[in-house]
Amino acid sequence: MYTKEDLKRQLSQAGLDPASTVMVHASVKSVGPLENRGDTLLDALLEYFASGLLLFPTHTWDHVSSSTRQYDPASSVPCVGLLPKLALQRPRVKRSLHPTHSVAAFGERAEEYIRGEEYAGSPAPVSGCWGRLYDENAKILLIGVGQNRNTYLHSVDERLQIPERISEKPVLLSIHMPDGSWKEFPFRTHFNPHTNDVSQFYVKLEDAFRRGGAVRDFQLGDATVQLCDARLCCHIEEEIWKKADFDIAIDDRPIPVEWYPAQCR
């Protein structure tokens, strides 16, 4: 049975800076038996990164833009696991106004970081919370999950202007604003004519990320954690795309090593 202190000790042994900007994607089950289930993991992360900026995905793409087309940060339920749901129950949480790919933020800079998300016209724009991970030189913790759960890579696609990632025709979405009004605006969703989920192919980038030092592993409870450097992941993917002659995110072929940046070979 892992305690909060056990997990905090492992985070320290991994050399993580408590003042970092950190995005967490997690499978609570993968961490193993916990003293108080997901709350133990959440408490450990909140306490360890208390002097930094701690972020969790609170996505609502499963129903906003497809059925209700309305997003209310106070009541729209995340579709990405237990930890985001628990995070939204904490008193100090700040949730962004992005209609489909919102984040929960903790820390002194939380409110500043999520500001302006109501103007996001796509899932992961450069100017939004996911794109800002690059600006912050953030760390991304993939706790017991793979690169196919790394939402940040969607923002890299948008930053690099990879074709066939965003719908041409927008849908009208509504956001419940803090003043009680509803803001309606056009929003371009994820779209690719060949697959419903380009993120399943992001695992093909893992080898290049590891070779280039953008990903390293450590243990948290029973889980293997991929510790990702947001900025370096972007630079490696950018160099690969410069040489690509097929869409690496929808094609079953592996990425040729000769496409890797020199430091990754």
Side-chain angles (χ1 to χ4, degrees):
M1 185 73 67
Y2 294 106
T3 67
K4 174 183 67 177
E5 296 305 320
D6 291 331
L7 301 182
K8 287 168 63 177
R9 189 177 307 111
Q10 287 181 301
L11 292 168
S12 178
Q13 290 170 346
L16 291 166
D17 181 355
S20 298
T21 297
V22 175
M23 171 64 74
V24 177
H25 295 269
S27 161
V28 173
K29 185 177 179 179
S30 72
V31 181
L34 295 168
E35 191 174 53
N36 193 22
R37 224 177 149 232
D39 283 304
T40 296
L41 175 57
L42 181 56
D43 287 339
L45 292 165
L46 286 170
E47 290 185 18
Y48 188 84
F49 293 108
S51 60
L53 180 63
L54 183 62
L55 306 163
F56 300 91
T58 53
H59 300 175
T60 53
W61 45 256
D62 66 326
H63 57 282
V64 177
S65 85
S66 60
S67 55
T68 66
R69 300 202 176 186
Q70 292 184 331
Y71 168 66
D72 185 346
S75 61
S76 294
V77 179
C79 61
V80 282
L82 175 62
L83 206 61
K85 294 175 183 176
L86 294 176
L88 289 177
Q89 297 173 16
R90 297 302 176 99
R92 295 184 293 111
V93 68
K94 304 292 182 182
R95 190 181 191 183
S96 76
L97 292 175
H98 193 294
T100 63
H101 289 70
S102 61
V103 305
F106 295 87
E108 289 186 5
R109 295 192 299 116
E111 194 162 351
E112 172 193 353
Y113 187 84
I114 66 171
R115 189 174 296 138
E117 282 275 86
E118 65 271 28
Y119 300 107
S122 62
V126 172
S127 60
C129 286
W130 293 100
R132 290 172 196 155
L133 294 175
Y134 177 93
D135 302 326
E136 296 266 330
N137 199 19
K139 306 303 177 189
I140 300 164
L141 303 186
L142 303 179
I143 303 174
V145 298
Q147 293 294 335
N148 57 317
R149 294 291 183 264
N150 190 352
T151 302
Y152 169 70
L153 296 181
H154 287 296
S155 80
V156 174
D157 282 354
E158 292 200 34
R159 182 181 295 273
L160 302 180
Q161 299 181 354
I162 305 302
E164 296 188 325
R165 293 292 182 271
I166 306 297
S167 63
E168 291 186 13
K169 184 178 180 181
V171 295
L172 281 178
L173 301 183
S174 295
I175 300 173
H176 198 202
M177 301 295 290
D179 65 3
S181 65
W182 285 90
K183 172 184 171 63
E184 187 177 67
F185 70 107
F187 183 84
R188 297 169 65 205
T189 64
H190 277 142
F191 173 78
N192 183 277
H194 308 288
T195 178
N196 291 327
D197 181 18
V198 298
S199 61
Q200 65 184 303
F201 296 92
Y202 290 154
V203 293
K204 296 199 299 183
L205 291 161
E206 185 179 326
D207 181 58
F209 288 165
R210 289 185 181 282
R211 293 190 188 206
V215 168
R216 66 175 175 88
D217 293 339
F218 70 92
Q219 288 296 120
L220 191 64
D222 292 340
T224 297
V225 182
Q226 290 189 46
L227 172 59
C228 312
D229 182 300
R231 195 172 290 175
L232 191 50
C233 283
C234 179
H235 292 168
I236 291 172
E237 185 174 345
E238 181 177 21
E239 290 304 308
I240 288 172
W241 272 109
K242 287 178 181 178
K243 298 177 182 178
D245 59 16
F246 60 82
D247 190 337
I248 62 173
I250 64 168
D251 197 293
D252 287 333
R253 286 173 287 180
I255 301 170
V257 175
E258 56 265 28
W259 291 3
Y260 290 8
Q263 73 269 24
C264 302
R265 298 178 197 167

